[in-house]
Amino acid sequence: MKKQRILSGMRPTGDLHLGNYFGALKNWVRLQEDYECFYFIADWHALTTGYEDTSAMKENSRKIVIDWLSAGLDPNKCVMFRQSDIKEHAELHLLFSMFTPVSWLLRCPTYKDQLKQLKEKNIATYGFLGYPCLQAADILMYKANAVPVGEDQIPHLELTREIARRFNFLYGEVFTEPQPLLTEAKVLPGIDGRKMSKSYQNTILLSEQLDEVKKKVGSMITDPERIKKDDPGHPDICSVYAYKKIFNLDEIEEIEASCKAGKIGCVQCKKGLAEKLALYMQPMLERREELLKTPDIVDDILRDGAAKSREVAAATMEEVRNAMKI
Ligand code: TRP
Ligand code: SF4
């Protein structure tokens, strides 16, 4: 049986962190074993909120590939490419924009939220409004069966399905409707207990050196009511404990009990986490070291990935132009 096809993308916004890894990338690595996977760098999408300063764009696209490889994506098992290398995405986006009602875009929750949140950035642009239309082009171009995304991207996927239906209704059956593949993502808070995010400066990077990881774990926010070592703790509100649920799972009940009973101090508890985290990150860091010895590897992978994805994109665009009588 032919493998189901998967497509997903990430915007190149700088170094990936453990939140990105547990939220999406770890899942991508798993999926490459069982699906035909296309993973791409959404550099045009990054422009929608970052069009003013584009100086780091090329470098960030290269960095994200290194992060992907260090985390275990394998160019022999999946296709990795850069959106801007495949001009067909722009053509399909343009064609979709002709019949996508503005009302569909305006009602997108991400549009409304971001507009409010990023007030200082002036993103009330044509391009930003069209973000989901470009995303639909990315997905439908490859006739992906499934798209691994987080909860926040569900409206975009619904819009993609609506665009596919509208195209098929207007011009004939060309597109498949993709299904969302919801990642059962583990939520890993940042070191200050809020959502891990570059803009909060509370991240642990995939490329973080281990002594820096140790320092960051040491500075993590724990239960604020624990002043003395034998005060009873509340693991449920402690960010160290949220990490322990992932990295020290084998001893989690013991940790919970001794925290609640005030039998373990936070310093010692953090030390245990730092050790496990270091063990977890070590192989990724070693792979990164290896990769950096062959600097051409990123260009090679992206060139190869572009060739493979362009082939699919060109075939889809043939069908699209035929259907639309262009
Ligand atoms: N919007 C996605 C995000 O911000 C990135 C993205 C762009 C994407 N095109 C896509 C994800 C196509 C999946 C499929 O995370
Ligand atoms: Fe958190 Fe561990 Fe301190 Fe309990 S002992 S509050 S789980 S760091």
Side-chain angles (χ1 to χ4, degrees), residues 38 75-76 78-81 85-86 297-311:
F38 286 80
N76 297 311
C78 66
V79 179
M80 289 173 253
F81 71 95
D85 282 334
I86 313 297
I297 195 162
V298 173
D299 290 328
D300 292 347
I301 286 172
L302 290 180
R303 196 179 323 105
D304 193 41
K308 286 183 185 144
S309 37
R310 194 174 292 125
E311 208 176 294

Side-chain angles (χ1 to χ4, degrees), residues 222-223 226 238 240-241 259 264 266 269:
T222 65
D223 175 358
R226 281 198 95 189
C238 170
V240 174
Y241 188 71
C259 172
I264 179 179
C266 292
C269 189

Side-chain angles (χ1 to χ4, degrees), residues 7-9 11 40 42 45 131 135 138-139 147 149 153:
L7 173 128
S8 201
R11 284 169 294 148
F40 76 100
H45 275 105
Y131 187 111
Q135 184 162 348
D138 302 332
I139 298 168
V147 183
V149 285
Q153 295 290 312

Side-chain angles (χ1 to χ4, degrees), residues 136-190:
D138 302 332
I139 298 168
L140 297 176
M141 183 75 84
Y142 300 89
K143 302 190 178 174
N145 305 100
V147 183
V149 285
E151 197 84 55
D152 63 313
Q153 295 290 312
I154 294 294
H156 289 172
L157 216 71
E158 193 43 53
L159 232 148
T160 300
R161 294 156 58 87
E162 280 176 302
I163 290 176
R165 282 198 286 273
R166 193 158 166 84
F167 184 101
N168 290 348
F169 169 75
L170 289 169
Y171 311 111
E173 288 287 326
V174 170
F175 293 113
T176 7
E177 282 184 41
Q179 299 300 324
L181 202 66
L182 259 187
T183 321
E184 8 82 42
K186 299 229 170 62
V187 181
L188 201 66

Side-chain angles (χ1 to χ4, degrees), residues 88-100:
E88 283 84 349
H89 288 231
E91 185 183 357
L92 193 56
H93 166 247
L94 175 91
L95 296 175
F96 284 171
S97 77
M98 299 301 167
F99 62 80
T100 301

